Amino acid sequence: MAALNHVHFHDLPDLILFNIFSLVTDTRTRNAISLVCLKWHLLERSTRTSLALRGNIRDLFLLPTCFQAVTNLDLSLLSPWGHPLLDYSSPNSILFAQLFRQALPSVVYLTIYARNPSILYLFAPQWPNLRHVKLIRWHQRLSIPLGFDFLPLFEHCLSLSSLDLSHFYCWTEDLPPALKAYPKVAASISYLNILITYSYAEGYKSHELLAITSACPNLRQFLATCFFDHRLIGSVGDETLLSLASNCPRLSLLHLVDATSLSNARANPDDEGYATEDARISHATLAGLCAGLPLLEELVLDVCHNVRDTGSALELLNSKCPRLKSLKLGQFHGICRVLHSKLNGIALCSGLESLSIKNSADLTDSSLLTISLGCPRLTKFEVHGCKWITEIGFRKFSSILKRTLIDVKISCCKLLNAVCSLRALEPIRGQIQQLHIDCVWESVQRLEGDLNQIVGNKSIQPEKRLDNKFSSRTWAKLHYLSLWISVGELLSPLTSSVGLADCPVLEEIHIRIEGDCRQHSWPSMHAFELSSLECYPRLSKMKLDCGGTFGYALTAPYGYADLSLWERFYLKGVGNLNLTELNYWPPQDRETNHRTLSLPAAGLLAQCETLRKLFIHGTANEHLMMFLLKIPTLRDVQLREDYYPASENDFSTEIRVSSCCRFEDALNRRKITD
């Protein structure tokens, strides 16, 4: 035993070290490992299988050649973002493409920003064994023949099994003819994602979906945006769903979403929950869909049009789809009835681990109770737009599932504002890991009024009583928090009044702000109170999304604030947080498609002294970007126009290539202590 005390970690056999290094996934940790010694450097490089290249495309001649084992390559984040990676007309373009193949010969999973088809004409021949490809494009489609974007990929990559177009703007008519032209490639595809994520999506028509699934009979996972409104030509209905199941009987994942649900507009919580029109989906079709897809493990049907009295049809999921683990239903009504404590509807799907219910008009507390009893394995639950669910009902639900439930999202439910939502989650407070709530503070004032009556003439201040009652709770395992908040509202009640002040392991927070600033003459207070998040000691990552906030970008009418003042309102205090990574979406002017960082925003972001990564999802002037050089630890900055339509004018002051290069040169000239 004494001899073992002298064994050094460096003395372990290379095979053991190789296996240990292969298990390390964090990029910074791997980089630190590679700096220990030459042996570890070589081992780390030989075990790295995933690489996301950053840097400027003008420096491609510096492409590293030590990552020979990389199989997963991401080329979508090179700077300037969205700029063509190679110029097809350049005589050196083919040479640079071949350089990629020599430096990274093992690539089988490629993510690339394909602004025009020439990029794929250059890169697809270099890696003919590609099996997984994700294309990204937020710029407008060029005037080219239908399907031309995909031809080089299908022509050279005959082993293609996975294609992700969820962030790739194209016409819905583009994909079917391309698949038809290359039947062998289409037959080899097992994963296809055409779930368009931008709000201007049109959705695939029924005949296009049938053409795609007919060409790809071996699909195992299929995600698509479509439309279920029977008033429109090409809507999805009974015949389409049954034919889809017949074309691809091996599906384990089916995800169909109506294009209108992609809109960021928040529903009115006071609505009854019923759409104006019914979808043409019968109970017999739902039964046939279940019977036709026996291998189904995940099902999403976000219809946006009423599908009524679905409980009896959904009961078949348990017997016809025994592997089903995840289910999401949108605009389905009657999914679980109250039948004298008898399990029915989706409550019979006892194997479910994830359940999402959206806009179910007749979902009640009793329905939740039945679901909790019938689905004891639920680890993730999401409810959206269900106006009859109350705090009492959800508390019983979470109490019954307290051994398994760790991920909850409560959104747009009239009777579940911030305070009620958190009180309803009290039974799982010690184990929940991910949470989304709406920051609706209306009950905070009501609680303060109630406490005023209770306290009476006592010397204790009601505010302190309120804080003691709700702020002393500890959310011991909560590491991710997502918030929705209306424009003009403050963030401070989150930590001062509603009971989320004590989250010792909270590492990441996502805040989405929505609303029309033009309906408010001026911010009601001087700051949004981001500094109130200082109480979270481990908070290091933040997504501050003001992309759903609209206002006047240039000149506001008299008495109204422009977007620069709203940005000051929302970002004031961000420098007090010890953030290492920040994603920021500036507010926008819809009339001009203007999403640009303002002077106050740049100045406030420059006060974040601990930031290492800053991604601005919009544009910025060069002189404002230079403010960010004051951040001593900043290593990675990028402007990303990842919204549709991205600006086509690359010579604009905010996004020109020369401006980006000058800023990156200045950033790279600085000395970073670590």
Side-chain angles (χ1 to χ4, degrees), residues 44 56 127 275 279 294 330 361 371 380 477 500 505 616 631 652:
E44 191 281 324
N56 200 290
W127 294 299
I371 292 172
K380 180 179 180 180
K477 297 183 180 180
L500 264 178
V505 299
I616 299 170
I631 305 176
S652 170

Side-chain angles (χ1 to χ4, degrees), residues 239-260:
E239 182 180 353
T240 306
L241 291 177
L242 293 176
S243 299
L244 191 150
S246 176
N247 291 343
C248 304
R250 301 178 183 178
L251 282 176
S252 62
L253 183 153
L254 177 60
H255 195 142
L256 298 178
V257 175
D258 192 281
T260 57

Side-chain angles (χ1 to χ4, degrees), residues 207-453:
H207 67 274
E208 293 167 344
L209 291 179
L210 294 181
I212 291 171
T213 54
S214 177
C216 306
N218 296 313
L219 278 178
R220 300 295 181 89
Q221 297 176 308
F222 183 49
L223 303 88
T225 304
C226 54
F227 51 90
F228 293 89
D229 189 345
H230 65 88
R231 297 171 295 182
L232 303 177
I233 298 176
S235 64
V236 172
D238 291 338
E239 182 180 353
T240 306
L241 291 177
L242 293 176
S243 299
L244 191 150
S246 176
N247 291 343
C248 304
R250 301 178 183 178
L251 282 176
S252 62
L253 183 153
L254 177 60
H255 195 142
L256 298 178
V257 175
D258 192 281
T260 57
S261 72
L262 298 173
S263 173
N264 289 328
R266 180 177 169 84
N268 185 357
D270 293 324
D271 287 346
E272 291 298 323
Y274 291 101
T276 55
E277 295 289 333
D278 289 356
R280 295 293 174 87
I281 301 177
S282 66
H283 296 174
T285 296
L286 291 176
L289 185 67
C290 298
L293 301 174
L295 303 179
L296 207 59
E297 298 178 12
E298 181 175 346
L299 175 63
V300 176
L301 293 174
D302 193 352
V303 179
C304 290
H305 299 276
N306 302 317
V307 185
R308 302 175 186 267
D309 302 320
T310 57
S312 58
L314 294 175
E315 290 178 358
L316 295 175
L317 285 171
N318 186 48
S319 58
K320 301 298 183 180
C321 306
R323 300 183 181 183
L324 190 67
K325 297 291 188 295
S326 178
L327 178 63
K328 180 176 181 179
L329 301 173
Q331 216 69 44
F332 275 60
H333 312 294
I335 60 176
C336 185
R337 299 291 189 184
V338 181
L339 299 175
H340 305 291
S341 301
K342 182 180 178 180
L343 299 182
N344 65 94
I346 59 172
L348 289 177
C349 301
S350 57
L352 283 180
E353 298 175 2
S354 175
L355 177 61
S356 176
I357 304 172
K358 180 179 179 182
N359 297 331
S360 183
D362 51 6
L363 191 74
T364 63
D365 290 345
S366 299
S367 304
L368 280 186
L369 178 61
T370 306
I371 292 172
S372 63
L373 294 173
C375 305
R377 300 180 183 179
L378 281 182
T379 60
K380 180 179 180 180
F381 182 69
E382 174 183 349
V383 62
H384 176 94
C386 299
K387 67 176 296 184
W388 300 115
I389 296 177
T390 69
E391 175 189 336
I392 296 174
F394 206 99
R395 186 183 181 96
K396 291 180 180 178
F397 174 85
S398 60
S399 178
I400 294 173
L401 296 172
K402 62 183 179 181
R403 295 183 182 274
T404 60
L405 198 59
I406 59 174
D407 187 347
V408 176
K409 180 176 181 180
I410 304 172
S411 178
C412 203
C413 295
K414 181 179 181 180
L415 302 178
L416 287 175
N417 48 47
V419 171
C420 295
S421 297
L422 294 176
R423 288 193 305 212
L425 295 173
E426 181 67 23
I428 59 172
R429 174 171 49 83
Q431 71 181 43
I432 190 169
Q433 299 177 15
Q434 300 188 56
L435 172 64
H436 171 91
I437 60 171
D438 291 345
C439 295
V440 179
W441 310 127
E442 60 183 23
S443 63
V444 174
Q445 291 80 6
R446 185 168 64 251
L447 284 170
E448 291 176 346
D450 294 342
L451 285 174
N452 276 326
Q453 297 179 0

Side-chain angles (χ1 to χ4, degrees), residues 54 90 92 120 172 412 434 483 490 523 578 588:
R54 287 285 285 110
S90 171
N92 296 325
L120 292 179
T172 59
C412 203
Q434 300 188 56
L483 305 170
L490 301 181
N578 294 320
Q588 61 171 307

Side-chain angles (χ1 to χ4, degrees), residues 71-99:
T71 57
N72 187 335
L73 178 63
D74 188 347
L75 297 178
S76 66
L77 302 178
L78 291 168
S79 293
W81 185 91
H83 194 75
L85 182 57
L86 295 175
D87 185 0
Y88 192 73
S89 61
S90 171
N92 296 325
S93 59
I94 297 179
L95 181 63
F96 275 120
Q98 294 173 345
L99 179 63

Side-chain angles (χ1 to χ4, degrees), residues 473-537:
R473 303 168 177 171
T474 299
W475 301 75
K477 297 183 180 180
L478 186 66
H479 62 81
Y480 175 84
L481 177 63
S482 174
L483 305 170
W484 176 93
I485 189 166
S486 178
V487 66
E489 294 288 338
L490 301 181
L491 186 63
S492 51
L494 180 73
T495 56
S496 65
S497 303
V498 302
L500 264 178
D502 191 1
C503 303
V505 299
L506 184 64
E507 297 177 350
E508 183 175 356
I509 188 168
H510 182 185
I511 304 173
R512 177 164 180 82
I513 304 161
E514 290 185 359
D516 194 341
C517 298
R518 296 169 297 186
Q519 297 179 0
H520 303 262
S521 59
W522 209 264
S524 58
M525 301 291 286
H526 70 284
F528 180 55
E529 298 291 354
L530 275 180
S531 57
S532 64
L533 302 180
E534 287 183 87
C535 62
Y536 303 133

